[in-house]
Amino acid sequence: MAYYTRPSTTISPTGFSRPTTLIVPNAYDPAKEYPLVLLLHNYDDPGGTIVARLAFDDGHNFDDGCFILAPDGANDVLSNAHWNYWTTGATSDFVYLKALVDDVAALWSIDAKRLYVGGYSNGGFMAQQLCLQYPTLFTAKFTLAGSSGVNDSTALGTAIPSICWHGDGDTTVLTAGDAAAATLPGTLNGHGGVGSTGYESAAVTVTD
């Protein structure tokens, strides 16, 4: 088996003091265009954890390689890293993540037709909401134990190919949904998304 030193660089979008590591394709060639995957971690787990958990730590070697962005969410009042997927505005996580993607696309040779976002649990909720805020930005999305908010169906305007994984034994993000989001941890309790207090079932999330 061949082992490679993972090429990476640090990037921080203008206006945000939240740098993150960008994994760059092995033997990057600016004459080619590469896919970009934005990976969003679960509650109280750093971005590097989700990269390893989903085996994207070898992403720089996939075919010609792909760019991997796995930033850390900001700490909440309990000092747990998380994604705030219910608040919009100029300093929101939505704007931060969009700025990260835009900056990478401006600095590196990125294929605009192969921009992907995926997330686990809290990151899955964020991936869902991010696609609602920027419905033409991503080519496709995937969520693991993430759901749509109860008001999402009224906001959908552009269809985005999606894959949704959800274990039927999940006791935190319930497959049946939860109108009060009572099982979500810490400050996430009660938040289903922008304009929502709770979240939909796995079946409704797929339908949405």
Side-chain angles (χ1 to χ4, degrees), residues 48-169:
T49 301
I50 192 66
V51 172
R53 178 174 283 158
L54 297 183
F56 275 94
D57 49 353
D58 200 39
H60 58 289
N61 288 320
F62 294 168
D63 296 325
D64 287 333
C66 63
F67 285 84
I68 307 293
L69 260 178
D72 295 337
N75 286 345
D76 63 10
V77 294
L78 302 177
S79 296
N80 293 324
H82 75 298
W83 299 109
N84 180 329
Y85 51 81
W86 55 89
T87 302
T88 59
T91 60
S92 68
D93 281 349
F94 294 117
V95 175
Y96 168 66
L97 293 172
K98 172 69 161 51
L100 275 178
V101 172
D102 287 347
D103 279 7
V104 173
L107 294 170
W108 301 83
S109 183
I110 303 296
D111 185 352
K113 296 181 179 178
R114 291 187 293 169
L115 297 179
Y116 306 102
V117 61
Y120 170 41
S121 196
N122 172 240
F125 279 90
M126 187 68 197
Q128 178 81 4
Q129 294 294 317
L130 192 61
C131 287
L132 292 177
Q133 295 296 314
Y134 305 108
T136 61
L137 178 62
F138 295 103
T139 308
K141 69 175 171 65
F142 65 89
T143 60
L144 174 62
S147 296
S148 58
V150 294
N151 292 329
D152 283 1
S153 59
T154 61
L156 293 177
T158 301
I160 299 175
S162 304
I163 298 176
C164 303
W165 289 280
H166 206 136
D168 57 12

Side-chain angles (χ1 to χ4, degrees), residues 2-60:
Y3 291 90
Y4 299 88
T5 300
R6 183 172 69 190
S8 64
T9 188
T10 300
I11 187 167
S12 182
T14 302
F16 291 91
S17 57
R18 294 171 61 182
T20 191
T21 299
L22 171 69
I23 302 174
V24 179
N26 207 45
Y28 169 74
D29 180 355
K32 299 180 180 179
E33 290 188 329
Y34 295 83
L36 169 65
V37 181
L38 174 64
L39 289 176
L40 304 175
H41 64 77
N42 55 306
Y43 184 71
D44 194 26
D45 252 343
T49 301
I50 192 66
V51 172
R53 178 174 283 158
L54 297 183
F56 275 94
D57 49 353
D58 200 39
H60 58 289

Side-chain angles (χ1 to χ4, degrees), residues 165-198:
W165 289 280
H166 206 136
D168 57 12
D170 194 332
T171 57
T172 301
V173 182
L174 308 178
T175 54
D178 184 349
T183 60
L184 298 185
T187 55
L188 308 185
N189 183 289
H191 298 290
V194 177
S196 301
T197 55

